[in-house]
Amino acid sequence: LSAAGIPWSVLRNYSSASAKEKARRNAICERTELLEVLKARVKQLQASNVPEVTVNKVELAPLGNDKYQDPLRKVVAPGAAEEQPAPRGRDESPARPSSWVEKLKKEMYIRQLKVERKLSIAASQLAREGQAKAKPKAKAKPKAKAKPKAKAKAKAKKSLKSPKAPKAKVAAAWSQSHAGPHGVYAHRKPRVAAVKEGAKAQWPRRVLKHKDSSQYKILQQTIQSSLECFLFLQQPEEAERFLLLYHSSPVKRRLLSVNAYNIVMRSWARKGCLQRINQLFSMLESVGLRPSLDSYAAALECMGRNQSSTKAVWRCVQQLKNDGFHVDELFQKCLFEEDEKEKVLRAIRIVQPNYQLPPPPKPQTCKSSLLQDFYSKEKMVPYPKLDFTVQELQERFQQQLEMELDNTVTIESVESTKPLTPQAIKARKLLATLRSQWHDSILQALQKSKRSMSELKTVSGYNILYPYLCLMPDEEYVGIMLQILNTLSPQGESLAVLARELGSKIYNRYITQRKLRSRQLEKVQEVYEEYIHLLAKDSQPDKYLPREYWEKLVAEAGFGPSLNLKDCSWPYMLLMRLGMHMLELLVQAVKVPRNVLNPHLEPRFIPVLYHVYSFHSSWQVGLIKPHPIFSQIVSDAAETLLTFNSSAIPMLCPPVPWTSPHFGAFVLNDTKLMRFVDGAVQHQLLLEQCPPVNLHPVLDALNQLGNCAWKINQPVLDIIISIFNDKGNEKLDIPPPISEAPRPPAAPSNSSTCNKSQKHELLLCKKKTAEMHSLRMDALYKLSIANYVRDKVFWFPHNMDFRGRTYPCPPYFNHLGNDVTRAILLFAEGKPLGPKGLDWLKIHLINLTGLKKKNALQERLEYANEIMEEILDSADHPLTGRKWWMNTDEPWQALACCMEIAKASRSPDPAAYISHFPVHQDGSCNGLQHYAALGRDLIGAMSVNLMPCSVPQDVYSVVAQQVEEFRKKDAEQGVKIAQVLQGFVSRKVVKQTVMTVVYGVTRYGGRLQMEKRLKEIDEFPEEYLWEASHYLVKQVFNGIKEMFSATRDIQNWLTESAKLIAQSGRTVEWVTPLGLPIVQPYYRSRSTVLNCSMQNLSVKTSNGNQKPDTVKQKNAFPPNFIHSLDSTHMMLTALHCLRQGLTFVSVHDCYWTHALTVDVMNQICRQQFVALHSEKILQDLSDFMLEKYCSPGRETRALWQKKLMEQLSNVPKTGRSTGQELQSSGAVWR
């Protein structure tokens, strides 16, 4: 059972491995800390029907209400092991302990004595607190408590003396109950629960004390998500039983919030059991918790279902008012599912027959000075229409809904055009037979596992995973596991990745089912059918933004479920544990006959999946690797179907507009507004605390980006697919198949003679093969999805990272992809080129070639006209002509542009030619632009095109020129490496380092970048790579320091401020000029060990209870702050382009629009850049941080606080360049 927590160093013996490997692993197992778990494992194997942890009788002392006593006999609570001896003695263990065991016993006994002395003092103090609270409720049986108490003291005393006391009986209880830190089974008697290692047993008490800590919240979330499962399963009895496991313990009940009781109330409300709800209200009162609005909503819902008496409803309403609530708040603040709202209203009308729902709150308007014009009602214009009728959009919505209801989408691979061989037909039949057998085996294993869990439930409390395995039909779990098996790489995948993927898939299915069950989907459907009138070409134009229109429709809908579900997210560790359990079932159940490919072999079953280990740096990482037989069958079958999650496919209808941090993007798939590291909750909490009106600009910008419709450039896609299926082309960024991988050297007959160089060569071949497989699959996914939507119009819903940078939600195929992906995307909406559109297409083409970077736009246009013959040849004969396009920086986008220019120039009237082609305008080293503008740095501003100049400046070329001057001086003075570098210092060599230095790249990282660029130059002598890259990075940093003096000052101020903030124990937070709250999620990494039967999994968790990582906080603050300004500028540009009716999308600082509107977009872009930097950005940041971190008003301040206050107040001085000069520059973006 996965819940029985045995470390991998023991249980990896059970994984499929050779006898030699097993012997080696056994030797490693002889370590001190494993004695505890060895004994626990022996007990488990001896008597699987006996609970591994005995029940401490003290924990079952009555709480004053006999009704709640029966379920408590199932509580898993660790106690002194000698109180309840196990049926079998230690000597009956099937494992024969060697002499080292006896020595280790003595060591462990001494160690535990020290731990127990500390814990007994702490626990007795905790017990006194718990008893003080429990005393008033226990008057009915005062004597019942006295005896166990005295007895427990005696036993605790005895346990400190006795060397025979087992130390590990509590180990399995923890893992059976909770994942990692999510379960607290602490004690209120001197004998406190140990969690694997006695020294770690103190943390639950510490967590319980800090109610605001993230760990405490995660523990609460674990309990609540389990209760939500019982609510979903319509099992109120089980929900109440689970609640009582915690409620009955004075220590554990501290983890119960009002929300936990409310979930159980809702379970009973749906059954109409008012008596049970009354009992839960009494329980709330008994532990000193005050009912919330949701508590009263559940009670009134129940009364509405039962048509309760006027007197009962009146009493409930009066109590609600006495607690400081108003009846209207029930409908304004509570979230409802199914018919709950109607039932609450029915109950209210029993005592107030004329009661009407309160009117929806008046919409608030964003007050940001940057968006006064945008949100001004006087300047509001109708929202742009799509080229679709209402009927067409409704049909598209239905297609999208069906896709999301299926959860997965199976599509034809682009490799399906290859002819089918007899070998492939045979392999496919064999694979189909095996999959049918595996389906049955996995199903049986799952059902057996659930049976054992349900039996355990009646013996020792509850297995935390059991309700999560009952949320869907067994067939669905099996389907998810088979999907993982089908997509597993021949090189294998780490356990952590597979566990997370399995857990997430189950969670996503559960959310889909909840939305169906709650009737939320019905309401979304009704609202969406009205919403599309805002977008359809055959409906009346409306002066609303998508978010505003959706909110208006929801308010008008009135009844029905809320569109936001009550928070039901699962803690990360719970997801991982669930995923690990599924993975264990998969590894155990899936087997293949050994002789399936070779009839001469012995016909026995062997595992398809192997649990092996690999080293990543100094870490030992568990991998799941498929057997070569399975990989060979899959390879021979050459299957042409690919299965994706529906969220990986672009949407077939306009996305649902973002209206809150919880709601937007896909119709059913759960999507977070802000992406974050697994397990991190800080960002979501910050967004929830932020006033909704402050998020309006960000939500509106994301909606604008998501509402851009796309289509496929079919001629370019077909050329790419033809090369992809014809062995690829690495030069054109189309990965070749694995069949083209370098062959490993032939092994000599005597393996011992294999020399070091041959081994190294073999290792390189394996590494290259793995890389090729990864790149090939990535390209296969992108091209197959593109081919699937080749005849469709589609949309990319967007969300953002914690800095506010926006990203399309579908992960594989989108416009943020590489050159190949971008080349096959076109705007679905076409616009005429207009008088200057063709010129912009030509300039765009030259930009894509990487030529003429230093030349003015007019010179680029003239150059394009000079090479028109090459452009037309590339368009007409891409694979058979002179192939000019292949030698450009972005060959596929250049080819697509050549084709568009050819069509436009050959049309009767180029100005009237309808173009769908996106033209890009790229920022000139955008990070340096922001620094130069922040510091009003005149010289720096000129080098990044912020100031008027006769020709566009190229900062990379300027830096390269400066480095070359430094090199010449050093070479003249006899510096050897400077002489070696003659002729090798170029724009291309320095570009990446110049671009990333502003985003915090260190000299170490910069040296690696330089080395990589120099490696690409065939003529450069390899023996000088390290020395040359070290020299160059030093010169680049010196050059930037000279050119951007103000930039360095600002960077240093930001870095030093972040360092002091992190040293004070706080994380760095700020708010962007658009009102988006940001927190840096860098904490000192702390791993939580997840105890699973396959291996122990060390999972890094990120939570606010840990100390900030000072190094990461300070190094990341300057680049993250600039990224947040970058995203603010992009969002401002997006919103103002919307007001001008432009099509606009962005790839961070690269903005796309139609050729017709490039000039207008450039003007808006400059205006918004100036508007942004006209704000007192650094001063506002200083004021915000002083208020947040320096507690103004306090007379006495600590020394560190004074130092921080001085640092934050000392805002860097800026130069004198003005916004007007920036405004007049014509080349901010080009």
Side-chain angles (χ1 to χ4, degrees):
L1 197 69
S2 70
I6 314 299
W8 60 262
S9 40
V10 176
L11 282 184
R12 61 182 179 181
N13 295 311
Y14 298 100
S15 63
S16 308
S18 65
K20 186 178 177 183
E21 178 73 355
K22 285 184 179 179
R24 187 183 69 79
R25 291 176 182 174
N26 281 337
I28 296 171
C29 286
E30 296 185 6
R31 291 192 240 163
T32 305
E33 62 267 34
L34 293 182
L35 183 59
E36 290 185 25
V37 286
L38 279 166
K39 288 188 287 185
R41 181 62 173 161
V42 167
K43 292 292 180 191
Q44 183 190 26
L45 294 172
Q46 282 177 330
S48 58
N49 62 330
V50 177
E52 293 175 292
V53 182
T54 55
V55 176
N56 184 346
K57 292 173 184 175
V58 177
E59 196 68 287
L60 299 178
L63 294 170
N65 189 341
D66 291 340
K67 288 179 186 175
Y68 304 137
Q69 290 308 301
D70 289 343
L72 290 177
R73 307 212 174 269
K74 310 295 186 286
V75 175
V76 182
E82 61 271 65
E83 292 176 25
Q84 295 279 340
R88 299 190 186 191
R90 236 178 276 163
D91 296 332
E92 293 176 48
S93 167
R96 194 173 295 172
S98 55
S99 58
W100 63 270
V101 174
E102 297 304 322
K103 293 177 186 176
L104 295 181
K105 278 184 189 176
K106 292 178 183 177
E107 290 176 22
M108 291 206 52
Y109 167 61
I110 293 165
R111 189 177 70 183
Q112 181 154 350
L113 276 183
K114 291 177 182 176
V115 172
E116 284 181 346
R117 284 192 187 109
K118 291 179 184 176
L119 294 182
S120 63
I121 295 164
S124 58
Q125 185 182 347
L126 198 63
R128 283 196 295 273
E129 292 172 16
Q131 287 164 9
K133 287 184 181 179
K135 218 169 188 179
K137 293 132 194 128
K139 289 178 182 176
K141 295 187 180 180
K143 290 181 182 178
K145 264 198 165 182
K147 284 185 181 179
K149 187 174 178 181
K151 194 175 178 182
K153 279 186 180 176
K155 288 188 178 179
K157 197 172 180 182
K158 182 181 173 184
S159 70
L160 292 176
K161 294 178 182 176
S162 169
K164 295 181 181 179
K167 284 80 179 176
K169 286 210 168 189
V170 297
W174 179 272
S175 52
Q176 283 169 359
S177 307
H178 282 287
H182 300 293
V184 176
Y185 279 91
H187 234 258
R188 60 188 174 96
K189 293 295 159 192
R191 187 90 179 170
V192 179
V195 187
K196 287 289 179 208
E197 298 166 22
K200 287 185 181 176
Q202 295 179 54
W203 82 263
R205 186 169 71 86
R206 188 167 65 248
V207 170
L208 289 174
K209 275 190 173 182
H210 299 288
K211 293 198 172 187
D212 292 329
S213 74
S214 288
Q215 275 185 321
Y216 185 93
K217 290 183 172 117
I218 290 168
L219 289 166
Q220 285 191 328
Q221 191 185 6
T222 306
I223 295 166
Q224 287 173 30
S225 60
S226 297
L227 290 170
E228 286 279 2
C229 286
F230 292 122
L231 173 65
F232 178 80
L233 293 167
Q234 299 178 344
Q235 295 176 353
E237 296 87 357
E238 294 297 333
E240 187 168 300
R241 180 172 171 273
F242 186 82
L243 182 77
L244 286 169
L245 295 181
Y246 290 86
H247 175 83
S248 54
S249 163
V251 174
K252 290 181 284 186
R253 75 164 63 125
R254 298 181 195 179
L255 286 168
L256 295 178
S257 66
V258 180
N259 290 339
Y261 293 90
N262 289 345
I263 295 166
V264 184
M265 286 185 198
R266 289 172 59 212
S267 298
W268 286 120
R270 289 182 184 177
K271 299 280 186 180
C273 296
L274 190 56
Q275 186 182 356
R276 296 283 195 153
I277 293 174
N278 288 336
Q279 288 173 2
L280 286 160
F281 266 86
S282 301
M283 288 165 66
L284 268 178
E285 189 182 348
S286 72
V287 294
L289 289 175
R290 183 176 159 224
S292 67
L293 268 174
D294 284 323
S295 313
Y296 289 109
L300 288 166
E301 177 203 337
C302 188
M303 292 174 178
R305 289 190 194 283
N306 290 345
Q307 290 286 295
S308 294
S309 67
T310 306
K311 189 177 179 182
V313 178
W314 184 84
R315 266 202 313 267
C316 182
V317 171
Q318 282 305 115
Q319 193 176 335
L320 176 147
K321 290 176 180 176
N322 292 341
D323 276 341
F325 300 120
H326 192 277
V327 172
D328 285 353
E329 290 180 283
L330 289 167
F331 303 100
Q332 291 166 337
K333 296 180 180 178
C334 292
L335 297 174
F336 296 105
E337 295 183 13
E338 299 181 45
D339 60 347
E340 292 172 354
K341 192 173 189 178
E342 287 77 0
K343 299 303 177 191
V344 172
L345 185 63
R346 179 195 282 180
I348 299 291
R349 285 179 174 165
I350 291 173
V351 291
Q352 298 179 31
N354 299 321
Y355 179 81
Q356 294 298 319
L357 287 176
K362 190 179 178 183
Q364 291 181 288
T365 305
C366 176
K367 302 295 183 190
S368 169
S369 58
L370 292 167
L371 289 166
Q372 281 179 348
D373 285 351
F374 180 80
Y375 286 111
S376 165
K377 293 297 175 190
E378 293 77 34
K379 298 186 179 180
M380 190 76 78
V381 294
Y383 194 77
K385 297 289 185 182
L386 295 169
D387 192 25
F388 297 102
T389 63
V390 169
Q391 180 66 32
E392 287 169 336
L393 287 175
Q394 282 175 349
E395 288 168 5
R396 288 167 187 277
F397 173 76
Q398 289 303 321
Q399 291 172 16
Q400 177 66 27
L401 182 56
E402 285 167 20
M403 185 166 76
E404 290 190 42
L405 282 170
D406 289 340
N407 284 293
T408 58
V409 182
T410 301
I411 66 177
E412 281 283 342
S413 154
V414 291
E415 290 182 321
S416 61
T417 52
K418 292 181 179 179
L420 201 58
T421 62
Q423 183 189 22
I425 294 169
K426 186 179 176 184
R428 286 184 188 183
K429 283 182 181 175
L430 174 60
L431 203 51
T433 305
L434 288 171
R435 280 178 181 151
S436 174
Q437 292 168 3
W438 295 338
H439 175 279
D440 296 341
S441 302
I442 297 170
L443 185 61
Q444 286 172 15
L446 176 65
Q447 290 170 343
K448 182 181 176 184
S449 165
K450 285 172 69 175
R451 275 197 302 275
S452 65
M453 285 183 183
S454 64
E455 288 164 9
L456 175 75
K457 179 180 71 175
T458 61
V459 178
S460 59
Y462 227 101
N463 185 296
I464 196 69
L465 293 184
Y466 183 68
Y468 297 90
L469 295 174
C470 300
L471 296 171
M472 300 177 291
D474 292 344
E475 291 283 347
E476 289 210 35
Y477 292 97
V478 175
I480 288 170
M481 286 189 265
L482 282 173
Q483 193 182 335
I484 292 292
L485 178 64
N486 292 337
T487 55
L488 191 62
S489 155
Q491 284 77 38
E493 186 57 89
S494 83
L495 254 76
V497 170
L498 291 174
R500 183 175 66 233
E501 195 174 345
L502 276 162
S504 299
K505 282 179 182 290
I506 293 166
Y507 174 74
N508 291 334
R509 297 273 178 104
Y510 162 65
I511 290 297
T512 300
Q513 291 305 313
R514 267 200 65 172
K515 287 180 177 178
L516 287 168
R517 176 84 63 81
S518 69
R519 290 183 24 217
Q520 186 235 37
L521 178 59
E522 286 179 32
K523 190 162 183 180
V524 169
Q525 214 165 343
E526 289 170 19
V527 175
Y528 194 93
E529 284 176 3
E530 291 300 317
Y531 167 71
I532 52 182
H533 286 84
L534 179 72
L535 309 174
K537 64 182 179 182
D538 60 341
S539 58
Q540 291 297 315
D542 274 305
K543 293 185 179 182
Y544 288 99
L545 292 167
R547 172 189 53 78
E548 293 171 339
Y549 197 62
W550 186 276
E551 287 172 345
K552 170 180 173 285
L553 293 171
V554 170
E556 288 171 357
F559 288 106
S562 308
L563 290 183
N564 287 349
L565 287 178
K566 288 179 189 286
D567 182 39
C568 54
S569 53
W570 294 350
Y572 180 60
M573 293 297 287
L574 184 61
L575 275 178
M576 292 297 288
R577 176 169 290 288
L578 182 59
M580 277 297 289
H581 181 68
M582 308 296 282
L583 201 52
E584 286 159 4
L585 291 178
L586 193 60
V587 171
Q588 291 164 16
V590 179
K591 295 188 175 0
V592 65
R594 185 165 175 255
N595 65 340
V596 70
L597 293 180
N598 186 350
H600 303 296
L601 293 174
E602 182 187 351
R604 64 183 175 85
F605 281 93
I606 56 171
V608 168
L609 300 177
Y610 279 69
H611 176 216
V612 297
Y613 291 86
S614 174
F615 279 96
H616 287 188
S617 184
S618 59
W619 286 87
Q620 194 173 14
V621 178
L623 299 174
I624 295 296
K625 202 166 184 178
H627 193 284
I629 289 176
F630 172 69
S631 298
Q632 186 62 52
I633 297 170
V634 171
S635 175
D636 291 345
E639 290 184 304
T640 59
L641 292 178
L642 296 172
T643 300
F644 296 98
N645 287 341
S646 55
S647 57
I649 306 292
M651 288 188 72
L652 305 179
C653 67
V656 174
W658 284 106
T659 54
S660 76
H662 303 280
F663 187 81
F666 292 99
V667 179
L668 268 177
N669 292 321
D670 200 40
T671 313
K672 295 289 184 193
L673 175 67
M674 192 173 273
R675 303 171 175 213
F676 44 77
V677 183
D678 289 321
V681 294
Q682 301 83 4
H683 306 104
Q684 197 64 26
L685 293 172
L686 209 57
L687 289 172
E688 286 166 6
Q689 291 161 10
C690 180
V693 70
N694 289 6
L695 294 177
H696 286 176
V698 172
L699 300 178
D700 292 334
L702 287 170
N703 292 336
Q704 165 65 356
L705 296 172
N707 275 345
C708 176
W710 299 87
K711 69 175 187 175
I712 294 295
N713 189 336
Q714 294 186 17
V716 176
L717 176 62
D718 290 336
I719 295 168
I720 293 170
I721 291 173
S722 69
I723 294 176
F724 180 84
N725 284 332
D726 185 27
K727 298 186 178 179
N729 185 321
E730 287 191 84
K731 187 192 169 191
L732 295 176
D733 205 15
I734 298 179
I738 295 185
S739 59
E740 300 300 304
R743 296 279 175 236
S749 54
N750 184 1
S751 59
S752 61
T753 63
C754 187
N755 60 34
K756 192 175 180 181
S757 66
Q758 286 175 317
K759 286 181 180 176
H760 181 66
E761 196 177 340
L762 181 65
L763 194 67
L764 288 177
C765 283
K766 284 185 174 179
K767 186 183 176 188
K768 179 69 175 175
T769 303
E771 285 173 0
M772 285 178 67
H773 178 268
S774 177
L775 291 169
R776 180 76 176 181
M777 294 308 292
D778 179 61
L780 178 68
Y781 289 171
K782 287 174 177 172
L783 295 176
S784 298
I785 293 171
N787 199 47
Y788 173 69
V789 294
R790 65 182 295 137
D791 299 313
K792 299 178 172 74
V793 172
F794 51 90
W795 287 261
F796 296 123
H798 281 60
N799 63 359
M800 59 187 169
D801 66 13
F802 73 91
R803 302 162 300 187
R805 287 200 125 187
T806 59
Y807 299 85
C809 297
Y812 302 114
F813 174 66
N814 58 60
H815 59 286
L816 258 69
N818 60 3
D819 174 47
V820 173
T821 316
R822 295 184 190 188
I824 53 184
L825 281 167
L826 295 171
F827 291 136
E829 182 186 8
K831 290 189 178 179
L833 284 177
K836 291 178 69 178
L838 184 55
D839 289 350
W840 272 117
L841 284 174
K842 291 175 182 177
I843 293 166
H844 176 56
L845 173 62
I846 303 307
N847 290 344
L848 291 168
T849 65
L851 306 168
K852 309 292 178 186
K853 286 278 184 182
K854 296 181 184 177
N855 299 66
L857 296 180
Q858 185 57 38
E859 290 172 12
R860 297 182 206 184
L861 177 59
E862 288 167 5
Y863 177 69
N865 288 326
E866 287 170 19
I867 60 167
M868 270 303 284
E869 193 178 329
E870 296 286 1
I871 293 170
L872 296 175
D873 176 73
S874 294
D876 297 338
H877 312 288
L879 300 179
T880 56
R882 295 192 290 273
K883 304 176 187 175
W884 169 84
W885 63 277
M886 289 189 182
N887 300 312
T888 59
D889 279 4
E890 310 280 358
W892 290 107
Q893 291 177 81
L895 174 62
C897 197
C898 287
M899 291 178 167
E900 188 72 1
I901 290 169
K903 286 184 213 165
S905 58
R906 288 167 177 164
S907 67
D909 179 9
Y913 173 77
I914 302 298
S915 174
H916 297 260
F917 199 84
V919 174
H920 312 171
Q921 296 289 282
D922 210 343
S924 304
C925 196
N926 194 238
L928 281 172
Q929 284 183 330
H930 283 291
Y931 270 125
L934 282 171
R936 303 291 192 267
D937 186 344
L938 196 63
I939 297 170
M942 286 186 70
S943 65
V944 287
N945 296 300
L946 288 183
M947 303 296 287
C949 200
S950 56
V951 292
Q953 297 298 298
D954 180 39
V955 67
Y956 310 118
S957 299
V958 174
V959 173
Q961 196 176 335
Q962 202 165 19
V963 171
E964 176 61 16
E965 286 173 15
F966 294 152
R967 188 205 63 77
K968 278 180 183 173
K969 283 180 189 174
D970 290 344
E972 286 166 7
Q973 291 170 12
V975 177
K976 174 69 175 171
I977 195 62
Q979 293 168 349
V980 170
L981 277 164
Q982 184 174 352
F984 293 110
V985 178
S986 66
R987 178 185 188 275
K988 189 173 182 181
V989 168
V990 304
K991 179 180 177 180
Q992 188 181 10
T993 308
V994 174
M995 190 191 302
T996 53
V997 75
V998 70
Y999 293 125
V1001 76
T1002 59
R1003 294 201 175 206
Y1004 174 77
R1007 192 202 68 74
L1008 292 176
Q1009 292 170 345
M1010 293 288 189
E1011 185 180 288
K1012 195 174 179 184
R1013 296 288 82 82
L1014 290 171
K1015 266 184 185 176
E1016 292 169 358
I1017 304 171
D1018 296 335
E1019 299 80 22
F1020 190 81
E1022 199 171 324
E1023 64 271 21
Y1024 288 104
L1025 276 174
W1026 192 94
E1027 197 179 348
S1029 56
H1030 187 269
Y1031 173 83
L1032 282 176
V1033 77
K1034 181 183 171 187
Q1035 302 306 337
V1036 167
F1037 273 63
N1038 289 339
I1040 290 175
K1041 195 171 182 179
E1042 279 188 24
M1043 286 175 62
F1044 295 88
S1045 54
T1047 294
R1048 275 293 169 195
D1049 293 342
I1050 295 168
Q1051 256 186 337
N1052 292 339
W1053 180 72
L1054 293 171
T1055 303
E1056 188 61 25
S1057 300
K1059 177 184 167 186
L1060 292 173
I1061 290 167
Q1063 284 175 344
S1064 75
R1066 310 279 293 277
T1067 49
V1068 179
E1069 290 183 31
W1070 69 99
V1071 176
T1072 70
L1074 276 187
L1076 179 68
I1078 292 174
V1079 56
Q1080 291 195 142
Y1082 310 120
Y1083 298 90
R1084 290 185 193 171
S1085 61
R1086 186 166 71 192
S1087 296
T1088 303
V1089 177
L1090 196 61
N1091 304 316
C1092 303
S1093 60
M1094 193 182 293
Q1095 73 165 61
N1096 267 14
L1097 201 61
S1098 180
V1099 181
K1100 286 188 178 179
T1101 52
S1102 169
N1103 66 63
N1105 199 34
Q1106 296 167 10
K1107 288 186 177 179
D1109 185 322
T1110 305
V1111 174
K1112 282 186 179 177
Q1113 288 283 346
K1114 78 179 181 69
N1115 288 343
F1117 183 37
N1120 285 341
F1121 182 68
I1122 294 300
H1123 278 309
S1124 73
L1125 290 182
D1126 192 17
S1127 77
T1128 299
H1129 175 232
M1130 185 280 295
M1131 289 179 178
L1132 286 169
T1133 306
L1135 293 173
H1136 285 88
C1137 282
L1138 165 63
R1139 280 286 175 258
Q1140 299 283 338
L1142 273 65
T1143 300
F1144 174 90
V1145 290
S1146 81
V1147 179
H1148 304 317
D1149 66 335
C1150 179
Y1151 300 167
W1152 298 16
T1153 191
H1154 287 92
L1156 172 70
T1157 52
V1158 171
D1159 288 310
V1160 182
M1161 185 185 74
N1162 276 338
Q1163 185 185 3
I1164 293 170
C1165 179
R1166 284 195 300 276
Q1167 286 171 349
Q1168 296 314 310
F1169 191 88
V1170 172
L1172 173 62
H1173 285 284
S1174 298
E1175 300 282 302
K1176 302 191 297 290
I1177 294 174
L1178 292 179
Q1179 188 59 54
D1180 289 346
L1181 176 66
S1182 169
D1183 295 344
F1184 173 83
M1185 288 184 158
L1186 282 168
E1187 186 181 341
K1188 181 162 189 67
Y1189 299 110
C1190 295
S1191 309
R1194 280 177 54 179
E1195 291 179 13
T1196 55
R1197 289 192 175 88
L1199 183 63
W1200 67 264
Q1201 212 168 19
K1202 289 177 182 175
K1203 191 176 177 183
L1204 177 58
M1205 195 168 178
E1206 186 181 332
Q1207 168 65 24
L1208 294 175
S1209 303
N1210 189 21
V1211 180
K1213 291 184 172 64
T1214 60
R1216 296 183 178 178
S1217 62
T1218 64
Q1220 282 72 26
E1221 289 170 310
L1222 295 180
Q1223 183 81 52
S1224 60
S1225 170
V1228 175
W1229 262 247
R1230 55 196 175 80

